[in-house]
Coordinates of all heavy atoms in Angstrom, one line a residue:
M1 N -7.7 109.3 72.1 CA -8.9 108.5 72.4 C -9.1 107.6 71.2 O -9.1 108.0 70.1 CB -10.1 109.5 72.6 CG -11.3 108.7 72.9 SD -12.6 109.8 73.6 CE -13.7 109.9 72.2
T2 N -9.3 106.3 71.5 CA -9.6 105.3 70.5 C -11.1 105.3 70.1 O -11.9 105.2 71.0 CB -9.1 103.9 71.0 OG1 -7.8 104.0 71.3 CG2 -9.4 102.9 69.9
R3 N -11.3 105.3 68.9 CA -12.7 105.2 68.4 C -13.1 103.8 68.2 O -12.3 103.0 67.7 CB -12.9 106.0 67.1 CG -12.9 107.5 67.3 CD -13.2 108.1 66.0 NE -13.2 109.6 66.2 CZ -13.6 110.4 65.3 NH1 -14.0 110.0 64.1 NH2 -13.5 111.7 65.5
M4 N -14.3 103.4 68.5 CA -14.8 102.0 68.4 C -15.9 102.0 67.3 O -16.7 102.9 67.4 CB -15.3 101.5 69.7 CG -14.2 101.4 70.8 SD -12.9 100.2 70.5 CE -13.8 98.7 70.7
Y5 N -15.9 101.0 66.5 CA -16.9 100.9 65.4 C -17.6 99.6 65.4 O -17.0 98.6 65.9 CB -16.3 101.2 64.0 CG -15.7 102.6 63.9 CD1 -14.4 102.8 64.1 CD2 -16.6 103.6 63.5 CE1 -13.9 104.1 63.9 CE2 -16.1 104.9 63.3 CZ -14.7 105.1 63.5 OH -14.2 106.4 63.4
D6 N -18.8 99.6 64.9 CA -19.5 98.4 64.7 C -19.7 98.3 63.2 O -19.8 99.3 62.5 CB -20.9 98.5 65.4 CG -21.6 97.1 65.5 OD1 -21.0 96.1 65.2 OD2 -22.8 97.1 65.8
Y7 N -19.8 97.1 62.6 CA -19.8 96.9 61.2 C -20.9 96.0 60.7 O -21.3 95.1 61.5 CB -18.5 96.3 60.6 CG -17.3 97.2 60.9 CD1 -16.6 97.1 62.1 CD2 -17.0 98.2 60.0 CE1 -15.5 97.9 62.3 CE2 -15.9 99.1 60.3 CZ -15.1 98.9 61.4 OH -14.1 99.7 61.7
K8 N -21.4 96.2 59.5 CA -22.4 95.3 58.9 C -21.9 95.0 57.5 O -21.4 95.9 56.8 CB -23.8 96.0 58.8 CG -24.5 96.1 60.1 CD -25.9 96.6 59.8 CE -26.7 96.7 61.1 NZ -28.1 96.6 61.0
V9 N -22.0 93.7 57.1 CA -21.7 93.3 55.8 C -23.0 92.7 55.2 O -23.5 91.8 55.7 CB -20.6 92.2 55.8 CG1 -20.3 91.7 54.4 CG2 -19.3 92.7 56.4
C10 N -23.5 93.4 54.2 CA -24.8 93.1 53.6 C -24.7 92.5 52.2 O -24.1 93.2 51.3 CB -25.6 94.4 53.6 SG -25.7 95.3 55.1
N11 N -25.2 91.4 52.0 CA -25.3 90.8 50.6 C -26.5 91.3 50.0 O -27.6 91.3 50.6 CB -25.3 89.3 50.7 CG -24.0 88.7 51.1 OD1 -23.0 89.4 51.4 ND2 -23.9 87.4 51.2
V12 N -26.4 91.7 48.7 CA -27.5 92.2 47.9 C -27.7 91.4 46.7 O -26.7 91.2 45.9 CB -27.3 93.7 47.6 CG1 -28.4 94.2 46.7 CG2 -27.2 94.5 48.8
Q13 N -28.9 90.8 46.5 CA -29.2 90.0 45.3 C -30.5 90.5 44.7 O -31.5 90.7 45.5 CB -29.2 88.5 45.7 CG -27.9 88.0 46.1 CD -28.0 86.6 46.7 OE1 -28.3 86.4 47.8 NE2 -27.7 85.6 45.8
A14 N -30.5 90.7 43.4 CA -31.7 91.1 42.7 C -32.4 92.4 43.4 O -33.6 92.5 43.5 CB -32.7 90.0 42.7
G15 N -31.5 93.3 43.9 CA -32.0 94.5 44.5 C -32.5 94.4 45.9 O -33.1 95.4 46.4
H16 N -32.3 93.3 46.5 CA -32.8 93.0 47.9 C -31.6 92.7 48.8 O -30.7 91.9 48.4 CB -33.8 91.9 47.9 CG -35.1 92.2 47.2 ND1 -36.1 92.9 47.7 CD2 -35.4 91.9 45.9 CE1 -37.1 93.0 46.8 NE2 -36.6 92.4 45.7
V17 N -31.7 93.2 50.0 CA -30.7 92.9 51.1 C -31.1 91.5 51.6 O -32.1 91.3 52.3 CB -30.6 93.9 52.2 CG1 -29.6 93.5 53.3 CG2 -30.3 95.3 51.6
T18 N -30.3 90.5 51.2 CA -30.6 89.1 51.6 C -30.0 88.6 52.9 O -30.6 87.9 53.7 CB -30.2 88.1 50.4 OG1 -28.8 88.3 50.1 CG2 -31.1 88.4 49.2
F19 N -28.8 89.0 53.1 CA -28.1 88.6 54.4 C -27.3 89.8 54.9 O -26.8 90.6 54.2 CB -27.0 87.5 54.1 CG -27.6 86.2 53.7 CD1 -27.9 85.9 52.4 CD2 -28.0 85.2 54.7 CE1 -28.4 84.6 52.1 CE2 -28.5 84.0 54.4 CZ -28.8 83.7 53.0
V20 N -27.4 89.9 56.3 CA -26.6 90.9 57.0 C -25.8 90.2 58.1 O -26.4 89.5 58.9 CB -27.5 92.0 57.6 CG1 -26.6 93.0 58.4 CG2 -28.3 92.8 56.5
N21 N -24.5 90.3 57.9 CA -23.6 89.5 58.9 C -24.0 88.1 58.9 O -23.9 87.5 60.0 CB -23.5 90.2 60.2 CG -22.9 91.6 60.2 OD1 -22.3 92.0 59.2 ND2 -23.1 92.3 61.3
G22 N -24.4 87.5 57.8 CA -24.7 86.1 57.7 C -26.1 85.7 58.1 O -26.5 84.6 58.0
D23 N -26.9 86.7 58.5 CA -28.3 86.4 59.0 C -29.3 86.7 57.8 O -29.2 87.9 57.3 CB -28.7 87.2 60.2 CG -27.9 86.8 61.4 OD1 -27.6 85.6 61.5 OD2 -27.6 87.7 62.3
W24 N -30.2 85.8 57.5 CA -31.2 86.0 56.5 C -32.1 87.1 56.9 O -32.5 87.2 58.0 CB -32.0 84.7 56.3 CG -33.1 84.7 55.4 CD1 -34.5 84.6 55.8 CD2 -33.1 84.8 54.0 NE1 -35.3 84.7 54.7 CE2 -34.5 84.8 53.5 CE3 -32.1 84.9 53.0 CZ2 -34.8 84.9 52.2 CZ3 -32.5 85.0 51.7 CH2 -33.8 85.0 51.3
Q25 N -32.4 88.0 55.9 CA -33.2 89.2 56.2 C -34.7 89.1 55.7 O -35.5 90.0 55.9 CB -32.6 90.4 55.5 CG -31.2 90.7 56.1 CD -31.3 91.0 57.5 OE1 -31.9 92.0 57.9 NE2 -30.6 90.2 58.4
G26 N -35.0 87.9 55.1 CA -36.4 87.8 54.6 C -37.4 87.5 55.7 O -37.1 87.0 56.8
H27 N -38.7 87.9 55.4 CA -39.8 87.7 56.4 C -40.2 86.2 56.3 O -40.9 85.7 57.2 CB -40.9 88.6 56.1 CG -40.6 90.0 56.2 ND1 -40.3 90.6 57.4 CD2 -40.4 91.0 55.2 CE1 -40.0 91.9 57.2 NE2 -40.1 92.1 55.9
V28 N -39.9 85.6 55.2 CA -40.2 84.2 54.9 C -38.9 83.4 55.3 O -37.8 83.8 54.8 CB -40.6 83.9 53.5 CG1 -40.8 82.4 53.2 CG2 -41.9 84.7 53.2
P29 N -39.0 82.3 56.0 CA -37.8 81.5 56.3 C -37.1 81.1 55.0 O -37.7 80.9 54.0 CB -38.3 80.2 57.0 CG -39.6 80.7 57.6 CD -40.2 81.7 56.6
L30 N -35.8 81.0 55.1 CA -34.9 80.8 53.9 C -35.3 79.5 53.2 O -35.4 79.5 52.0 CB -33.4 80.8 54.3 CG -32.4 80.6 53.2 CD1 -32.5 81.6 52.2 CD2 -31.0 80.6 53.8
A31 N -35.6 78.4 53.9 CA -35.9 77.2 53.3 C -37.2 77.3 52.4 O -37.3 76.8 51.3 CB -36.1 76.1 54.3
A32 N -38.2 78.0 53.0 CA -39.4 78.2 52.2 C -39.2 79.2 51.0 O -39.7 79.0 49.9 CB -40.5 78.8 53.1
A33 N -38.4 80.2 51.2 CA -38.1 81.2 50.2 C -37.3 80.5 49.0 O -37.5 80.9 47.8 CB -37.3 82.4 50.7
A34 N -36.5 79.6 49.3 CA -35.7 78.9 48.2 C -36.6 78.3 47.2 O -36.2 78.2 46.0 CB -34.8 77.9 48.8
G35 N -37.8 77.8 47.5 CA -38.7 77.2 46.6 C -39.6 78.2 45.9 O -40.3 77.8 45.0
A36 N -39.6 79.4 46.2 CA -40.4 80.4 45.6 C -39.9 80.9 44.3 O -38.8 80.7 43.9 CB -40.6 81.6 46.5
S37 N -40.8 81.4 43.5 CA -40.5 81.9 42.1 C -39.5 83.1 42.3 O -38.6 83.3 41.4 CB -41.7 82.3 41.3 OG -42.4 83.3 42.0
D38 N -39.7 84.0 43.3 CA -38.8 85.1 43.6 C -38.3 84.9 45.1 O -38.9 85.4 46.0 CB -39.4 86.4 43.4 CG -38.5 87.6 43.6 OD1 -37.3 87.3 43.9 OD2 -39.0 88.7 43.5
P39 N -37.2 84.2 45.3 CA -36.8 83.9 46.7 C -36.4 85.1 47.5 O -36.4 85.1 48.7 CB -35.6 82.9 46.5 CG -35.1 83.2 45.2 CD -36.3 83.6 44.3
F40 N -36.2 86.2 46.8 CA -35.7 87.4 47.6 C -36.8 88.4 47.8 O -36.6 89.5 48.5 CB -34.6 88.1 46.8 CG -33.5 87.2 46.4 CD1 -33.1 87.1 45.1 CD2 -32.9 86.4 47.3 CE1 -32.1 86.2 44.7 CE2 -31.9 85.5 46.9 CZ -31.5 85.4 45.6
A41 N -38.0 88.1 47.4 CA -39.2 89.1 47.5 C -39.5 89.4 49.0 O -40.0 90.5 49.2 CB -40.4 88.5 46.8
S42 N -39.2 88.5 49.9 CA -39.5 88.8 51.3 C -38.4 89.6 52.0 O -38.6 90.0 53.2 CB -39.8 87.5 52.1 OG -38.6 86.8 52.3
C43 N -37.3 89.9 51.3 CA -36.2 90.7 51.8 C -36.4 92.1 51.5 O -37.0 92.5 50.5 CB -34.9 90.2 51.2 SG -34.5 88.5 51.6
P44 N -35.9 93.0 52.4 CA -36.0 94.5 52.1 C -35.3 94.9 50.8 O -34.2 94.3 50.6 CB -35.5 95.1 53.3 CG -34.5 94.1 53.9 CD -35.1 92.8 53.6
D45 N -35.8 95.8 50.1 CA -35.1 96.3 49.0 C -34.0 97.2 49.5 O -34.0 97.7 50.7 CB -35.9 97.0 47.9 CG -36.5 98.3 48.4 OD1 -35.9 99.1 49.1 OD2 -37.7 98.6 47.9
V46 N -32.9 97.5 48.7 CA -31.7 98.1 49.2 C -32.1 99.5 49.7 O -31.6 99.9 50.8 CB -30.7 98.2 48.1 CG1 -29.5 99.1 48.5 CG2 -30.2 96.9 47.6
W47 N -32.8 100.3 49.0 CA -33.1 101.7 49.4 C -33.9 101.7 50.8 O -33.5 102.4 51.7 CB -33.9 102.4 48.3 CG -34.2 103.8 48.7 CD1 -35.4 104.3 49.1 CD2 -33.3 104.9 48.8 NE1 -35.4 105.6 49.4 CE2 -34.1 106.0 49.2 CE3 -32.0 105.0 48.5 CZ2 -33.5 107.3 49.3 CZ3 -31.4 106.3 48.6 CH2 -32.2 107.4 49.1
A48 N -34.9 100.8 50.9 CA -35.6 100.8 52.1 C -34.7 100.4 53.3 O -34.8 100.9 54.4 CB -36.8 99.8 52.0
Y49 N -33.8 99.4 53.1 CA -32.9 99.0 54.1 C -32.0 100.1 54.6 O -31.9 100.4 55.8 CB -32.1 97.8 53.7 CG -31.2 97.3 54.8 CD1 -31.7 96.5 55.8 CD2 -29.8 97.7 54.8 CE1 -30.8 96.0 56.8 CE2 -29.0 97.3 55.8 CZ -29.5 96.4 56.8 OH -28.7 96.0 57.8
L50 N -31.4 100.8 53.6 CA -30.5 101.9 54.0 C -31.3 103.0 54.7 O -30.7 103.6 55.6 CB -29.8 102.4 52.8 CG -28.8 101.4 52.1 CD1 -28.2 102.0 50.8 CD2 -27.7 101.1 53.1
Q51 N -32.5 103.3 54.3 CA -33.3 104.3 54.9 C -33.6 103.9 56.4 O -33.7 104.8 57.3 CB -34.6 104.6 54.2 CG -34.4 105.3 52.9 CD -33.9 106.7 53.1 OE1 -34.3 107.4 54.0 NE2 -33.0 107.2 52.2
R52 N -33.8 102.6 56.6 CA -34.2 102.1 57.9 C -33.0 102.2 58.9 O -33.1 102.6 60.1 CB -34.7 100.7 57.9 CG -35.3 100.2 59.2 CD -35.9 98.8 59.0 NE -34.8 97.9 59.1 CZ -34.7 96.8 58.3 NH1 -35.6 96.6 57.3 NH2 -33.7 96.0 58.3
V53 N -31.8 101.9 58.4 CA -30.6 101.8 59.3 C -29.8 103.1 59.4 O -29.1 103.3 60.4 CB -29.6 100.6 59.0 CG1 -30.4 99.3 59.0 CG2 -29.0 100.8 57.6
G54 N -30.0 104.0 58.5 CA -29.3 105.3 58.5 C -29.6 106.1 59.8 O -28.6 106.6 60.4
P55 N -30.8 106.2 60.2 CA -31.1 107.0 61.4 C -30.4 106.4 62.7 O -30.2 107.1 63.7 CB -32.6 107.0 61.6 CG -33.1 106.8 60.1 CD -32.1 105.9 59.5
D56 N -30.0 105.1 62.6 CA -29.3 104.5 63.8 C -27.8 104.7 63.7 O -27.1 104.1 64.5 CB -29.6 103.0 63.8 CG -31.1 102.7 64.1 OD1 -31.7 103.5 64.8 OD2 -31.6 101.7 63.7
G57 N -27.4 105.6 62.7 CA -26.0 105.9 62.7 C -25.2 105.1 61.7 O -23.9 105.3 61.5
W58 N -25.8 104.2 60.9 CA -25.1 103.4 60.0 C -24.7 104.2 58.7 O -25.6 104.8 58.1 CB -25.9 102.1 59.6 CG -26.0 101.2 60.7 CD1 -27.0 101.0 61.5 CD2 -25.0 100.3 61.2 NE1 -26.8 100.0 62.5 CE2 -25.5 99.6 62.3 CE3 -23.7 100.0 60.8 CZ2 -24.8 98.6 63.0 CZ3 -22.9 99.0 61.5 CH2 -23.5 98.4 62.6
E59 N -23.5 104.1 58.3 CA -23.0 104.8 57.1 C -22.5 103.7 56.1 O -21.8 102.8 56.5 CB -21.8 105.7 57.3 CG -22.1 106.9 58.1 CD -20.8 107.8 58.2 OE1 -20.3 108.2 57.1 OE2 -20.3 107.9 59.3
L60 N -22.9 103.9 54.8 CA -22.4 103.0 53.8 C -21.0 103.5 53.4 O -20.8 104.7 53.1 CB -23.2 103.1 52.5 CG -22.8 102.3 51.3 CD1 -22.8 100.8 51.6 CD2 -23.7 102.6 50.1
V61 N -19.9 102.6 53.6 CA -18.6 103.0 53.4 C -17.9 102.4 52.2 O -16.9 102.9 51.7 CB -17.7 102.8 54.7 CG1 -18.2 103.7 55.8 CG2 -17.7 101.4 55.1
A62 N -18.5 101.3 51.7 CA -17.9 100.7 50.5 C -18.9 99.7 49.9 O -19.8 99.2 50.6 CB -16.6 99.9 50.9
T63 N -18.7 99.4 48.6 CA -19.5 98.4 47.9 C -18.6 97.6 47.0 O -17.6 98.1 46.5 CB -20.6 99.0 47.1 OG1 -20.0 99.8 46.1 CG2 -21.6 99.8 47.9
V64 N -18.9 96.3 46.8 CA -18.1 95.5 46.0 C -19.1 94.6 45.2 O -20.1 94.1 45.7 CB -17.2 94.5 46.8 CG1 -16.4 93.6 45.9 CG2 -16.2 95.4 47.6
V65 N -18.8 94.4 43.9 CA -19.6 93.6 43.1 C -18.9 92.3 42.9 O -17.7 92.3 42.4 CB -19.9 94.2 41.7 CG1 -20.7 93.3 40.8 CG2 -20.7 95.6 41.9
H66 N -19.5 91.2 43.2 CA -18.9 89.8 43.0 C -19.7 89.2 41.8 O -20.9 89.1 41.8 CB -19.1 89.0 44.2 CG -18.3 89.4 45.4 ND1 -17.0 89.0 45.5 CD2 -18.6 90.2 46.4 CE1 -16.5 89.6 46.6 NE2 -17.5 90.3 47.2
T67 N -18.9 88.8 40.8 CA -19.5 88.2 39.6 C -18.9 86.8 39.4 O -17.6 86.7 39.4 CB -19.3 89.1 38.4 OG1 -19.8 90.3 38.7 CG2 -20.0 88.5 37.2
T68 N -19.7 85.8 39.2 CA -19.3 84.5 38.8 C -20.0 84.1 37.5 O -21.0 84.8 37.2 CB -19.6 83.5 39.9 OG1 -21.0 83.3 40.0 CG2 -19.0 83.9 41.3
P69 N -19.6 83.0 36.9 CA -20.3 82.6 35.7 C -21.8 82.3 36.0 O -22.7 82.5 35.1 CB -19.6 81.4 35.2 CG -18.2 81.5 35.8 CD -18.4 82.2 37.1
E70 N -22.1 81.9 37.2 CA -23.5 81.5 37.5 C -24.4 82.7 38.1 O -25.6 82.7 38.0 CB -23.5 80.4 38.6 CG -23.0 79.1 38.1 CD -21.4 79.1 38.2 OE1 -20.9 79.8 39.1 OE2 -20.8 78.4 37.4
S71 N -23.7 83.7 38.7 CA -24.5 84.7 39.4 C -23.7 86.0 39.6 O -22.5 86.0 39.4 CB -25.0 84.2 40.7 OG -24.0 84.0 41.6
S72 N -24.3 87.0 40.1 CA -23.7 88.3 40.5 C -24.4 88.8 41.7 O -25.6 88.7 41.8 CB -23.8 89.3 39.3 OG -23.2 90.5 39.7
Y73 N -23.7 89.3 42.6 CA -24.3 89.9 43.8 C -23.4 91.0 44.3 O -22.2 91.1 44.0 CB -24.5 88.9 44.9 CG -23.3 88.2 45.5 CD1 -22.8 88.7 46.7 CD2 -22.7 87.1 44.9 CE1 -21.6 88.2 47.2 CE2 -21.6 86.6 45.5 CZ -21.1 87.1 46.6 OH -19.9 86.5 47.2
D74 N -23.9 92.0 45.0 CA -23.2 93.1 45.6 C -23.0 92.8 47.1 O -23.8 92.2 47.7 CB -24.0 94.4 45.4 CG -24.3 94.7 44.0 OD1 -23.4 94.3 43.1 OD2 -25.3 95.3 43.7
V75 N -22.0 93.4 47.6 CA -21.7 93.4 49.1 C -21.6 94.9 49.5 O -20.8 95.6 48.9 CB -20.5 92.6 49.5 CG1 -20.3 92.7 51.0 CG2 -20.6 91.2 49.0
L76 N -22.4 95.3 50.5 CA -22.4 96.6 51.1 C -21.7 96.5 52.4 O -22.0 95.6 53.2 CB -23.8 97.2 51.3 CG -24.7 97.1 50.1 CD1 -26.1 97.7 50.5 CD2 -24.2 97.8 48.9
Y77 N -20.8 97.4 52.7 CA -20.1 97.5 54.0 C -20.6 98.8 54.7 O -20.4 99.9 54.1 CB -18.6 97.5 53.8 CG -18.1 96.2 53.1 CD1 -18.0 96.1 51.8 CD2 -17.7 95.2 54.0 CE1 -17.5 94.9 51.2 CE2 -17.3 94.0 53.4 CZ -17.2 93.9 52.0 OH -16.7 92.7 51.4
L78 N -21.1 98.6 55.9 CA -21.6 99.8 56.6 C -20.9 99.8 58.0 O -20.4 98.7 58.5 CB -23.1 99.6 56.9 CG -24.0 99.8 55.7 CD1 -24.2 98.5 55.0 CD2 -25.4 100.2 56.2
K79 N -20.7 101.0 58.5 CA -20.1 101.1 59.9 C -20.9 102.2 60.6 O -21.5 103.1 60.0 CB -18.6 101.4 59.8 CG -18.3 102.8 59.5 CD -16.8 103.0 59.6 CE -16.4 104.5 59.5 NZ -15.0 104.7 59.7
R80 N -20.7 102.1 62.0 CA -21.2 103.2 62.8 C -20.3 103.3 64.0 O -19.7 102.3 64.5 CB -22.7 103.0 63.2 CG -22.9 101.9 64.2 CD -24.3 101.9 64.7 NE -24.6 100.7 65.5 CZ -25.8 100.4 65.9 NH1 -26.8 101.1 65.7 NH2 -25.9 99.3 66.7
E81 N -20.2 104.5 64.6 CA -19.4 104.6 65.8 C -20.2 104.1 67.0 O -21.4 104.4 67.1 CB -19.0 106.1 65.9 CG -17.9 106.3 67.0 CD -17.3 107.7 66.9 OE1 -17.6 108.4 66.0 OE2 -16.5 108.0 67.8
L82 N -19.5 103.4 67.9 CA -20.1 102.9 69.1 C -20.2 104.0 70.1 O -19.4 104.9 70.2 CB -19.4 101.7 69.6 CG -19.5 100.5 68.8 CD1 -18.6 99.4 69.4 CD2 -20.9 100.0 68.6

């Protein structure tokens, strides 16, 4: 029997989940958030996000830290069985 999975790729910046599969996670539209003093404040913090999706079967399977001279961000990889 072949198992089928669904995946989420989550970008994390400043302790907040900012994008999931390319979709902005903030409560404030991205254009408006870009001009704010803390553009990620309207996005869920990592712990709250994982607590919210865990009961739906999502498991954290890997993390990667991306560092450039200008910034650093984490990528979380989650999966769940369909």
